[in-house]
Amino acid sequence: MRKKLIAGAAMTAVAVLALTACSSGTEEAAGGLTIDVPDVPMHSELGDYEGEVNIIAWSGFVEPAWSDQFTEDTGCVVNRRVAGTSDEMVQLMRTGDYDLVSASGDASLRLIAGGDVAPLNLELIPNFGDDIVEGMKGQIYDTINGKSYGVPIGRGANILQYNSEVVTEEPTSWDVAWETDSPYAGEIIGYDAPIYIADAAVYLMAHEPDLGITNPYALDEDQLAAAVDLLKQQNGIVSEYWSDPSAQITSFAGGTTSLGTSWEVLRKLTEDEKFKSVLPEEGSTGWSDAWMLAAESANPNCAYAWMDYTSSPEVNGAIAMNFGMAPANAAFCELSDEAQEHCDYYNATDEEYFEKVWFWTTPLEQCIDGRTDVTCTNFQQWTDAWLTVKN
């Protein structure tokens, strides 16, 4: 199980996030985002397999159950390096030793902006087709200037988990986790990472509309200050923070925590029916993972073959079930009753559900909400701000 972000420590390799906007402005539709990024060439055709592919992945994404078959089919030996955080993935990709990474949205723009990954020729990935859920195509965290840099793997929401023996009525709002008068003060768990600032911003979007926040990853200095103030307020009622999923499970199971932010898979892994979850009325943040190809990949043919192979319904579904997330390929849901049950649990094809989810996106100086009259805060500023929250 992964830790998506480093816990509370100052992050490295973030200076690249002070990006400058293109004169053409921002696009948030099917074309994703428009920003000034290095011009990395796209592969026009594929050649012979090189014999290996080197992959950085979250735990559970690359397993012998499917990688051995891939090697048998292609002759490409799969060399896996498991990473524990998005920060680690970015640093490893910059060594030039890897061909692919299973990046989350909080790492994607860093890699694109740094010229570390290449745009993808989707014609060379036949399984990237109509069965890939629409909500994972053309998103601003991995589609830049009309070019796709990521092949979707899976997604999930950061939901509100609670102990129903303590929280006897299903919460409808995040207020029980953020307000100082919460009856569960001292039993609340929060996420330990700079990107958690966006969770505060989601809450402020609903409860303090005068702040003008329309995208939780596009915060000017005043909006960032308001989010940090809310986080400091929450700090007074938080029992602990988590970045290690096993620690979060232990906290709930051990009775230290009654409610707080979670992933659906963590509730399932707790293996106790008293633990339930809900997507509150304000919505939530979330994560979406995608394969990204190194700009200087030594094995691009094997890498493209892997992206296509793992985008098939069977293999993509196996990854989703192994990790615990909604698969990117919706055709998997129709393969069996077990597959359908998995898809139902993780809301795989429920776009109405995911419309309420703001997927992790690296904060940039360019305001990705379309504003051009202000400068937004970047990831370095979020990192610096996060360090003040628990002091």
Side-chain angles (χ1 to χ4, degrees):
M1 189 60 69
R2 64 180 158 181
K3 292 180 287 182
K4 287 205 168 198
L5 292 159
I6 197 164
M11 295 188 178
T12 58
V14 293
V16 71
L17 298 175
L19 299 181
T20 303
C22 287
S23 59
S24 56
T26 302
E27 298 174 5
E28 289 190 68
L33 184 68
T34 299
I35 56 175
D36 190 10
V37 298
D39 185 16
V40 178
M42 177 190 297
H43 287 272
S44 58
E45 60 182 2
L46 297 179
D48 296 334
Y49 295 137
E50 300 87 357
E52 68 174 355
V53 59
N54 301 298
I55 305 174
I56 306 165
W58 299 121
S59 177
F61 277 39
V62 180
E63 300 298 326
W66 46 88
S67 61
D68 288 352
Q69 184 62 53
F70 173 76
T71 299
E72 183 177 335
D73 292 345
T74 64
C76 301
V77 175
V78 180
N79 303 311
R80 179 192 66 170
R81 170 71 179 265
V82 174
T85 69
S86 288
D87 222 37
E88 182 183 0
M89 286 186 170
V90 172
Q91 293 170 17
L92 288 172
M93 281 295 282
R94 289 177 176 163
T95 66
D97 296 333
Y98 299 92
D99 302 296
L100 289 170
V101 62
S102 62
S104 297
D106 57 307
S108 302
L109 288 181
R110 281 188 272 176
L111 292 168
I112 297 169
D116 303 299
V117 292
L120 299 175
N121 186 340
L122 299 180
E123 293 183 359
L124 303 179
I125 309 173
N127 280 319
F128 188 102
D130 294 339
D131 291 327
I132 301 298
V133 295
E134 287 301 316
M136 295 188 71
K137 295 179 179 179
Q139 298 301 308
I140 61 175
Y141 45 79
D142 63 12
T143 305
I144 305 300
N145 305 334
K147 298 177 181 179
S148 175
Y149 286 78
V151 173
I153 307 168
R155 58 181 174 174
N158 296 322
I159 43 80
L160 177 61
Q161 180 172 315
Y162 63 97
N163 183 339
S164 62
E165 291 183 354
V166 178
V167 185
T168 54
E169 293 186 15
E170 181 180 83
T172 60
S173 169
W174 282 104
D175 59 2
V176 292
W178 289 102
E179 300 295 344
T180 55
D181 61 355
S182 170
Y184 313 106
E187 304 170 30
I188 297 167
I189 197 167
Y191 194 54
D192 196 351
I195 206 70
Y196 189 51
I197 291 171
D199 292 67
V202 168
Y203 187 74
L204 291 173
M205 286 170 64
H207 295 274
E208 294 190 30
D210 289 347
L211 287 170
I213 301 173
T214 60
N215 184 310
Y217 305 102
L219 306 180
D220 60 36
E221 290 186 1
D222 290 340
Q223 293 165 340
L224 176 62
V228 170
D229 285 344
L230 179 60
L231 286 159
K232 290 179 177 179
Q233 172 181 295
Q234 187 195 44
N235 178 252
I237 59 173
V238 164
S239 59
E240 60 184 292
Y241 293 90
W242 71 279
S243 59
D244 183 344
S246 61
Q248 192 263 15
I249 293 171
T250 299
S251 185
F252 270 98
T256 302
T257 294
S258 294
L259 62 82
T261 186
S262 182
W263 306 330
E264 289 284 13
V265 66
L266 300 187
R267 176 171 72 85
K268 198 169 190 178
L269 290 172
T270 308
E271 296 182 342
D272 192 323
E273 292 184 359
K274 71 183 179 184
F275 296 110
K276 302 183 183 302
S277 63
V278 63
L279 182 64
E281 59 192 12
E282 297 93 349
S284 75
T285 60
W287 44 269
S288 181
D289 296 334
W291 299 116
M292 304 187 82
L293 174 68
E296 301 294 335
S297 171
N299 306 290
N301 299 295
C302 283
Y304 264 93
W306 175 263
M307 288 188 286
D308 187 50
Y309 172 73
T310 55
S311 294
S312 69
E314 297 82 2
V315 182
N316 180 248
I319 295 171
M321 290 190 72
N322 191 50
F323 179 72
M325 61 182 173
N329 194 321
F332 163 73
C333 304
E334 302 174 4
L335 295 181
S336 67
D337 291 343
E338 182 184 20
Q340 188 62 62
E341 181 180 352
H342 177 89
C343 289
D344 290 345
Y345 184 87
Y346 291 99
N347 302 286
T349 59
D350 187 351
E351 292 303 329
E352 185 176 351
Y353 176 88
F354 281 109
E355 282 177 1
K356 304 173 185 176
V357 178
W358 296 88
F359 293 108
W360 285 349
T361 304
T362 307
L364 308 174
E365 287 187 359
Q366 174 182 343
C367 294
I368 60 175
D369 59 3
R371 287 180 293 170
T372 58
D373 57 337
V374 296
T375 298
C376 279
T377 51
N378 61 39
F379 195 46
Q380 179 64 67
Q381 290 168 286
W382 281 42
T383 302
D384 294 342
W386 177 247
L387 294 175
T388 73
V389 169
K390 295 182 294 180
N391 292 339

